[in-house]
Amino acid sequence: MQEKDRKLAYKPEGRFFVPHHSPVMGFPNGSVENNLPANAGDMGSILGLGRFPGEGNGNPLQYSCLGNPVDRAAWWATIQGVAKSRTRLKQLGSWHSPVIASSSLQFMTHNGNLRVKAKYEARVPAFYYIPQANDCMVLKEQWIRAKYERQEFMADGKTISHPGNREGFLWKRGRDNAQFLKRRFVLLAREGLLKYYTKEEGKDPKAVISIKDLNATFQTEKIGNPHGLQITYRRDGHVRNLFVYHENGKEIVDWFNALRAARLQYLKMALPELPESELVPLITRNYLKQGFMEKTGPKQREPFKKRWFALDPQERRLLYYKNPLDAFELGQVFLGSNEQGYQVFEDLPKGIRGNRWKAGLTIVTPHRRFVFTCPSEKEQREWLESFREVLSSPLTPLNLLALSTESDCSHR
């Protein structure tokens, strides 16, 4: 990095940014250990904290030095929580702390990535979520802290216990008033149930949720909180969304992994013929794509209306809402495979014109045709690629299990 770029990379208040033309490595192989900088211990290198896609609202914890070739001192300082201090971050380039000479850092410096992985990830539970490049910062930070600060997964560490039951308080968004209120949540892993209560000492739960139909995904931008978690489950034939968060990053990630552990336990009972390695990808899932489109009705003569869409690739469902944080969907479209006659086309049917947006998409199922318009050609291409990815993939055992009790499409 040249001198003028070094100046651009630093902003006041202890925050660091990478210029747009600087390379951002991210997590090329999806895991942290492949991004340990080669220049470990080189205190002369400049500190740069790379911004991950979809992250960064002024909180320095939402920037990670793991995404760029930076000096190991800054990386380890982030692990130790030094990044929480906005005023000290700008001094890290010449920071000399005993932490840098720790046995863990020396091991990383002299043994390389594979040895580091073998030591610090010796006993990662199958249910534990390992963050990917496009995941939110709280997942990445807690993964780093679990491995190197708390050393939870080392072979010679303390015995790892199954999360099992869990009880605690989370802030939950109200369905009608949109306010976040403190609610008591109880996870009963053996029974496969998650309950939440409106009163701290209440005996009757507001909802009893089966782990069978539950999913959890971090949706920090949509919820507007760096620890925002979306929990979904089926209720009366529809998808119910709960939006929750906790002030403490470790607490919300621990809840997330406890739910994943309970889900894996259920999947082992529901699909005993599948090995654990094939069940792990089915535990929880993220949306393949979300965003606004406009849609018309089944006759294609109805007015186009703006809706928020979320594509669930595992359940092969396109859900649509009036607003992104609605508790229930307005409707959903099941997406089978190309072999079953499902197709997507990059255009509007002849004789149909959109309202404000002109970039059209048409999904054809064995039962009807769904017509959408996108706000831009870029959005149109992204939706088209996402739909084609789902339609070109075969149905999973979970899809077949769901289809045995559900119809092709429901809508309101």
Side-chain angles (χ1 to χ4, degrees):
M1 182 182 288
Q2 298 185 9
E3 187 62 31
K4 65 177 182 179
D5 290 334
R6 295 187 185 207
K7 294 178 181 177
L8 286 172
Y10 174 72
K11 292 286 182 78
E13 300 183 343
R15 301 187 186 123
F16 291 83
F17 295 79
V18 175
H20 292 299
H21 57 272
S22 298
V24 178
M25 292 169 59
F27 291 28
N29 293 318
S31 183
V32 171
E33 75 278 1
N34 296 306
N35 285 278
L36 302 181
N39 58 335
D42 178 10
M43 300 304 297
S45 59
I46 188 74
L47 171 65
L49 298 183
R51 184 172 185 170
F52 284 97
E55 297 295 337
N57 59 4
N59 183 341
L61 285 180
Q62 288 187 290
Y63 297 86
S64 172
C65 53
L66 288 174
N68 291 276
V70 300
D71 113 326
R72 181 89 60 180
W75 175 80
W76 186 254
T78 302
I79 298 173
Q80 292 296 330
V82 177
K84 293 180 180 178
S85 172
R86 298 183 177 184
T87 57
R88 290 187 64 191
L89 267 174
K90 55 188 174 184
Q91 302 172 355
L92 283 173
S94 59
W95 185 62
H96 296 276
S97 167
V99 173
I100 306 306
S102 69
S103 59
S104 298
L105 180 57
Q106 290 178 1
F107 182 89
M108 285 180 248
T109 302
H110 297 296
N111 290 277
N113 294 345
L114 293 178
R115 292 284 299 279
V116 169
K117 179 180 175 70
K119 178 176 180 178
Y120 290 95
E121 296 184 33
R123 297 191 303 166
V124 180
F127 62 82
Y128 196 99
Y129 185 82
I130 299 177
Q132 308 298 301
N134 58 349
D135 281 319
C136 62
M137 185 49 60
V138 68
L139 280 171
K140 296 171 184 173
E141 181 195 2
Q142 292 305 317
W143 165 243
I144 293 169
R145 290 185 183 277
K147 284 201 329 181
Y148 302 113
E149 185 179 66
R150 299 191 293 269
Q151 299 185 351
E152 295 179 6
F153 313 127
M154 293 178 61
D156 55 352
K158 61 182 181 181
T159 302
I160 300 175
S161 59
H162 195 281
N165 296 345
R166 186 177 184 86
E167 181 174 347
F169 290 93
L170 297 173
W171 291 90
K172 174 189 167 293
R173 187 178 190 272
R175 183 181 66 180
D176 301 319
N177 59 18
Q179 293 182 340
F180 281 90
L181 300 174
K182 197 173 184 180
R183 296 290 183 251
R184 180 165 65 98
F185 282 77
V186 177
L187 173 63
L188 303 174
R190 180 173 296 180
E191 292 86 345
L193 298 174
L194 175 67
K195 303 178 181 181
Y196 78 88
Y197 300 77
T198 55
K199 297 181 180 180
E200 292 190 15
E201 302 299 329
K203 295 183 179 180
D204 297 321
K206 177 68 175 180
V208 179
I209 304 165
S210 172
I211 290 296
K212 169 181 176 291
D213 301 318
L214 181 143
N215 183 50
T217 172
F218 278 93
Q219 298 290 313
T220 58
E221 289 188 4
K222 186 165 70 175
I223 297 174
N225 187 287
H227 300 164
L229 184 70
Q230 178 176 345
I231 298 172
T232 64
Y233 62 98
R234 297 196 181 283
R235 195 177 94 176
D236 300 328
H238 296 285
V239 175
R240 174 71 163 102
N241 298 316
L242 303 180
F243 302 100
V244 301
Y245 75 88
H246 195 281
E247 302 94 331
N248 183 279
K250 181 180 183 299
E251 183 72 12
I252 195 67
V253 172
D254 284 349
W255 266 105
F256 178 59
N257 281 306
L259 293 173
R260 283 179 56 85
R263 276 280 299 166
L264 180 58
Q265 183 175 320
Y266 157 73
L267 289 172
K268 287 181 176 180
M269 294 186 294
L271 302 168
E273 70 279 4
L274 295 183
E276 185 177 76
S277 60
E278 293 185 26
L279 296 177
V280 169
L282 306 178
I283 298 177
T284 57
R285 69 269 183 192
N286 296 321
Y287 294 114
L288 186 57
K289 180 161 177 63
Q290 298 182 86
F292 282 107
M293 291 192 290
E294 290 187 341
K295 72 176 290 294
T296 184
K299 297 180 180 179
Q300 277 89 61
R301 293 193 296 269
E302 300 86 348
F304 278 81
K305 295 182 180 180
K306 185 179 179 181
R307 297 289 183 251
W308 175 266
F309 290 83
L311 178 56
D312 183 337
Q314 183 172 300
E315 293 211 341
R316 311 179 74 100
R317 295 183 187 277
L318 179 65
L319 305 164
Y320 55 93
Y321 305 82
K322 186 174 182 180
N323 299 298
L325 297 180
D326 285 349
F328 291 97
E329 88 283 10
L330 291 174
Q332 53 182 274
V333 181
F334 176 77
L335 301 174
S337 66
N338 293 136
E339 295 178 351
Q340 296 173 307
Y342 290 79
Q343 295 177 293
V344 60
F345 298 98
E346 183 183 0
D347 209 346
L348 296 174
K350 187 176 180 180
I352 296 178
R353 297 182 61 183
N355 183 14
R356 295 176 299 166
W357 301 334
K358 308 305 178 185
L361 287 173
T362 302
I363 294 177
V364 177
T365 78
H367 302 283
R368 61 163 284 190
R369 187 171 62 180
F370 296 86
V371 180
F372 312 96
T373 57
C374 305
S376 67
E377 291 184 356
K378 178 179 179 293
E379 282 289 301
Q380 179 195 40
R381 289 193 300 270
E382 291 179 1
W383 278 110
L384 186 66
E385 292 172 1
S386 299
F387 288 137
R388 284 174 174 169
E389 181 177 334
V390 174
L391 296 179
S392 63
S393 63
L395 273 66
T396 67
L398 276 183
N399 298 145
L400 299 173
L401 186 63
L403 284 176
S404 64
T405 57
E406 295 183 23
S407 61
D408 169 79
C409 170
S410 66
H411 57 88
R412 288 188 272 158

